[in-house]
Amino acid sequence: DAKTTQPPSMDCAEGRAANLPCNHSTISGNEYVYWYRQIHSQGPQYIIHGLKNNETNEMASLIITEDRKSSTLILPHATLRDTAVYYCIVRGLIQGAQKLVFGQGTRLTINP
Amino acid sequence: NAGVMQNPRHLVRRRGQEARLRCSPMKGHSHVYWYRQLPEEGLKFMVYLQKENIIDESGMPKERFSAEFPKEGPSILRIQQVVRGDSAAYFCASSPYFSTGTAGELFFGEGSRLTVL
């Protein structure tokens, strides 16, 4: 699996958009970009994933650059409950190699 | 549709005892993954199983740890002769399996917290 690079921490004001960057310059053509978050010591929560097109769901938007070497997770209106560690993960879907490999993630703090 | 169920949520064992952690995947999911999170550290992959098969155990310690996912019943992570360093949160995740041969996104349980005295 390709490695990812994320800033260790970020702050964002409540109500503003939180933009979390991720670099994955060694991503290969059949690897997806996944985002998960872990709130305090709860189980990780799936947020969104994409291959090359931008994606949006009820939680967030995922913007992937055209060369696929980086992406940005956008939480459009951050709330205090969005404070968590956010993980950007590159995942291949070759049978037998479909686990998620977590890095250190970005600790996002939403401030009132 | 119930989520991934793990039990017990908290387990206390003395050194040398055995710990058994159970994971019931989401309905319709045939893939199970186990992760360990040591205090103040990240999530580390341990093992990936399909029904009755271990697909990837590259993250499993060589000794004392084993995992199974029988045809019927939950997946079990077993730790024999526990030591203090085994104290951690153990998370299970499940995913569906598609006819294309790929697995969908992983859904995690709330974890089992093992404390070894």
Side-chain angles (χ1 to χ4, degrees), chain A residues 34 36 38-46 49 87 91-104 107, chain B residues 31 33 35 37 42-45 48 50 55-56 58 91 95 97 101-111 113:
Chain A
Y34 277 76
Y36 278 76
Q38 187 175 28
I39 297 172
H40 192 40
S41 54
Q42 297 177 19
Q45 178 186 23
Y46 166 80
H49 75 281
Y87 297 96
R91 180 190 187 209
L93 292 181
I94 299 171
Q95 194 168 9
Q98 295 165 95
K99 65 195 180 204
L100 293 173
V101 179
F102 289 83
Q104 295 305 307
R107 185 173 296 276
Chain B
H31 292 201
Y33 311 73
Y35 287 79
Q37 187 169 36
L43 289 143
K44 300 298 183 187
F45 168 78
Y48 164 31
Q50 286 178 269
I55 306 301
D56 181 351
S58 58
F91 291 98
S95 70
Y97 179 76
T102 61
E105 55 264 29
L106 278 65
F107 294 90
F108 284 79
E110 289 305 312
R113 280 148 185 84

Side-chain angles (χ1 to χ4, degrees), chain A residues 1-108:
Chain A
D1 288 340
K3 292 185 178 180
T4 62
T5 304
Q6 298 178 255
S9 64
M10 292 182 64
D11 285 84
C12 180
E14 187 179 18
R16 306 296 292 267
N19 297 288
L20 292 92
C22 179
N23 288 322
H24 30 79
S25 58
T26 60
I27 192 170
S28 61
N30 62 354
E31 290 180 318
Y32 286 72
V33 179
Y34 277 76
W35 284 84
Y36 278 76
R37 72 181 182 183
Q38 187 175 28
I39 297 172
H40 192 40
S41 54
Q42 297 177 19
Q45 178 186 23
Y46 166 80
I47 301 173
I48 199 167
H49 75 281
L51 183 62
K52 50 186 175 182
N53 297 321
N54 297 338
E55 302 288 343
T56 295
N57 62 21
E58 64 278 4
M59 288 183 68
S61 294
L62 174 61
I63 308 298
I64 302 174
T65 58
E66 193 168 342
D67 63 7
R68 302 211 322 126
K69 292 185 178 182
S70 66
S71 60
T72 301
L73 178 74
I74 301 172
L75 307 178
H77 305 287
T79 71
L80 297 178
R81 287 176 293 183
D82 292 321
T83 292
V85 179
Y86 286 76
Y87 297 96
C88 169
I89 302 165
V90 170
R91 180 190 187 209
L93 292 181
I94 299 171
Q95 194 168 9
Q98 295 165 95
K99 65 195 180 204
L100 293 173
V101 179
F102 289 83
Q104 295 305 307
T106 295
R107 185 173 296 276
L108 176 67

